[in-house]
Amino acid sequence: MKFNTALLHKNYESDPLTGATVTPIYQSSAFSHESPEKLEKIFNNKAPGFAYSRISNPTVDSFERRIASLESGIGAVACSSGMAAVTMSLLNILKTGDEIIAGSGLFGGTIDLFGDLKAFGIKANFVKRVCNDEIEPFITEKTKAIFAELIGNPALDIVDIERVSELAHKHKIPLIIDSTTATPCLIHPIDYGADIVVHSTSKYINGGGNAISGIIIDSGNFMWDENRYEFIGEYKKYGKFAYLAKLRNGIWRNIGCCLSPVNAFLNTIGLETMGLRMERLCDNALQLAEYLDTFEDIDVNYPMMKKSPYYPLAQKLFKGKGGAILTIRAGSKERAFRLMNNLKLPLIATNIGDVRTLVIHPASTIYAHSSEEQKINAEVYNDTIRISIGIEDIEDLKEDFRQAIEKLREEN
Ligand SMILES: *Cc1c(COP(=O)(O)O)cnc(C)c1O
């Protein structure tokens, strides 16, 4: 099945009860059963079925199964937010004294989270670029995960996932990839060696900016070594499903960061048109990047522009697509703000993956609490504007940016 067909048909089922073509919103906290024997079986994973929506729910289950198959995983667990997915993907395997290695250009929320984990005795070692030369010196017996974003947001650096996964596996460490900005449309990270994939499904999978949510997908490929990951003992009987079984029966359900049925429904609706949206978004992003590059006083960063150092990797990994985020530098914070004020169509908002074009000044918002060094590592400068492209007609976007930049010059 090709991608757009898979979005509609892979693991798709009309509602078994009614034939409804869209999986209905099962907005119920609990599910009743004909006997205590049946509920006992469901509780002990001895029979399929639903008991309580914090643990599983038919609408959420359908969303999970569709994303898992789309990403070539063996299963998925949906979460209340992308941050919950990132947190749970790690806490499922980490304990006090463990370390992780991560890119310093991560999403701001994830950087903040790694700061919070210090209180639990978990240390993150940051590398400026997620590449083997920089990762290897940090690898010790304590290293229990390598965490990276495939396309850094907003640095837009790209990880050579095949090489990094080779190194990780050589040291028996799982590679966890946040693939939010790359989306299943550009790449299936599991095919390139990722062990666990997380998405903030609030972004391109939902696609309409109407629900916060996240998901964790397990490849089932990682060999959890009992000596390094003690938890595995108890879950060994689940074979390649050990990680997912631990997650579902352990920290994920006990912390209670489940996805609501309504949000799962909204995501499923969005999912089905992701292919069409991403085609348009990537096309718009490239066209706007090339257009803005013709202005002398604007510096553009987009991986699919030939001048980007990541152009060859983007070509190789993403089938010629570059994603839907670009950044520009306007010369100063003051000029960046004025440019944003001059724009008529883009909304000034902290989100990506909406149908509308959004702009933000990361240094004064998402990175407001970061150190100067953290900002530089994430390529967040005082004059950086992040553009999350929308599906508007590109002529209108070009025209809007043209008038905004020209007005900026007149004001000087
Ligand atoms: C938005 C985002 C997150 C966090 O997701 P939420 O749904 O906002 O909690 C994590 N990683 C990346 C790359 C993101 O863009």
Side-chain angles (χ1 to χ4, degrees):
M1 251 187 245
K2 292 211 182 343
F3 187 68
N4 283 296
T5 314
L7 281 176
L8 299 170
H9 295 282
K10 223 171 166 186
N11 266 7
Y12 163 81
E13 225 184 8
S14 54
D15 184 46
L17 213 59
T18 62
T21 55
V22 182
T23 304
I25 305 170
Y26 284 92
Q27 190 69 12
S28 181
S29 306
F31 301 85
S32 64
H33 295 280
E34 64 275 12
S35 67
E37 288 82 2
K38 179 80 190 292
L39 196 54
E40 181 186 29
K41 280 190 185 145
I42 291 172
F43 255 82
N44 293 286
N45 302 319
K46 299 224 160 79
F50 299 95
Y52 191 60
S53 283
R54 170 160 52 72
I55 302 164
S56 63
N57 171 283
T59 318
V60 177
D61 183 64
S62 160
F63 174 61
E64 289 172 338
R65 280 188 292 109
R66 290 176 72 172
I67 296 276
S69 70
L70 196 63
E71 281 286 34
S72 349
I74 57 165
V77 174
C79 300
S80 52
S81 69
M83 285 317 303
V86 169
T87 308
M88 291 302 111
S89 73
L90 288 162
L91 291 190
N92 194 37
I93 53 173
L94 299 181
K95 61 177 180 1
T96 303
D98 286 347
E99 295 187 4
I100 51 184
I101 300 172
S104 56
L106 291 174
F107 173 70
T110 307
I111 301 248
D112 288 351
L113 167 74
F114 290 170
D116 297 334
L117 292 183
K118 272 188 215 155
F120 301 94
I122 294 165
K123 184 179 168 204
N125 298 294
F126 290 104
V127 292
K128 181 150 174 15
R129 267 204 65 189
V130 184
C131 60
N132 292 359
D133 291 349
E134 294 198 26
I135 294 170
E136 201 149 22
F138 284 106
I139 295 180
T140 69
E141 267 307 297
K142 292 180 181 170
T143 311
K144 296 295 168 62
I146 296 175
F147 186 95
E149 281 167 25
L150 210 37
I151 307 179
N153 166 18
L156 307 180
D157 51 329
I158 296 175
V159 173
D160 193 341
I161 179 171
E162 280 175 303
R163 298 209 54 214
V164 173
S165 68
E166 267 170 36
L167 177 74
H169 297 156
K170 195 174 99 189
H171 293 276
K172 299 185 172 175
I173 301 167
L175 176 63
I176 305 181
I177 289 286
D178 180 338
S179 197
T180 302
T181 48
T183 79
C185 191
L186 270 57
I187 187 170
H188 304 304
I190 289 173
D191 296 344
Y192 293 84
D195 300 292
I196 309 289
V197 176
V198 298
H199 284 283
S200 165
T201 44
S202 321
K203 312 292 171 52
Y204 300 94
I205 290 177
N206 171 282
N210 57 39
I212 298 292
S213 60
I215 201 158
I216 304 165
I217 303 120
D218 184 6
S219 68
N221 294 332
F222 190 73
M223 301 291 185
W224 302 98
D225 176 346
E226 248 178 295
N227 299 316
R228 282 174 52 72
Y229 300 90
E230 288 147 33
F231 76 82
I232 218 67
E234 192 188 335
Y235 289 92
K236 218 173 167 180
K237 62 180 182 220
Y238 293 97
K240 65 180 182 173
F241 290 93
Y243 176 93
L244 284 173
K246 162 115 194 304
L247 194 60
R248 254 190 207 290
N249 295 295
I251 196 150
W252 169 83
R253 94 197 238 171
N254 296 332
I255 282 194
C257 53
C258 57
L259 179 60
S260 83
V262 174
N263 286 355
F265 173 83
L266 292 169
N267 288 346
T268 306
I269 302 293
L271 175 69
E272 299 186 335
T273 57
M274 177 171 55
L276 294 177
R277 279 186 284 107
M278 283 309 291
E279 289 282 339
R280 173 67 164 239
L281 291 174
C282 294
D283 199 43
N284 271 1
L286 179 60
Q287 286 202 53
L288 187 66
E290 284 176 345
Y291 179 66
L292 292 176
D293 200 42
T294 63
F295 294 83
E296 271 160 27
D297 45 351
I298 302 290
D299 192 21
V300 186
N301 181 17
Y302 184 63
M304 269 311 285
M305 284 206 313
K306 292 207 176 69
K307 69 172 190 180
S308 164
Y310 298 103
Y311 179 77
L313 258 181
Q315 281 278 16
K316 184 175 112 184
L317 295 175
F318 304 146
K319 307 165 217 141
K321 294 193 180 69
I325 302 173
L326 58 150
T327 61
I328 57 174
R329 295 187 63 179
S332 69
K333 177 181 176 183
E334 187 259 344
R335 273 174 56 89
F337 272 37
R338 276 203 287 133
L339 201 161
M340 288 168 72
N341 278 319
N342 290 348
L343 288 168
K344 295 183 177 131
L345 289 175
L347 307 182
I348 299 169
T350 178
N351 192 12
I352 53 172
D354 204 329
V355 277
R356 289 174 190 80
T357 298
L358 312 176
V359 291
I360 193 163
H361 179 255
S364 62
T365 54
I366 308 167
Y367 287 82
H369 305 290
S370 307
S371 66
E372 285 310 309
E373 193 194 343
Q374 283 173 328
K375 281 191 235 180
I376 288 169
N377 285 340
E379 292 190 37
V380 169
Y381 306 102
N382 246 337
D383 62 342
T384 303
I385 301 173
R386 183 185 75 187
I387 305 168
S388 166
I389 203 89
I391 60 171
E392 294 95 343
D393 289 298
I394 190 64
E395 293 77 14
D396 291 329
L397 288 177
K398 281 186 190 170
E399 170 53 24
D400 196 21
F401 275 90
R402 185 200 60 74
Q403 67 78 27
I405 295 166
E406 245 146 55
K407 205 163 156 212
L408 188 67
R409 290 173 180 166
E410 284 160 21
E411 289 160 356
N412 271 342

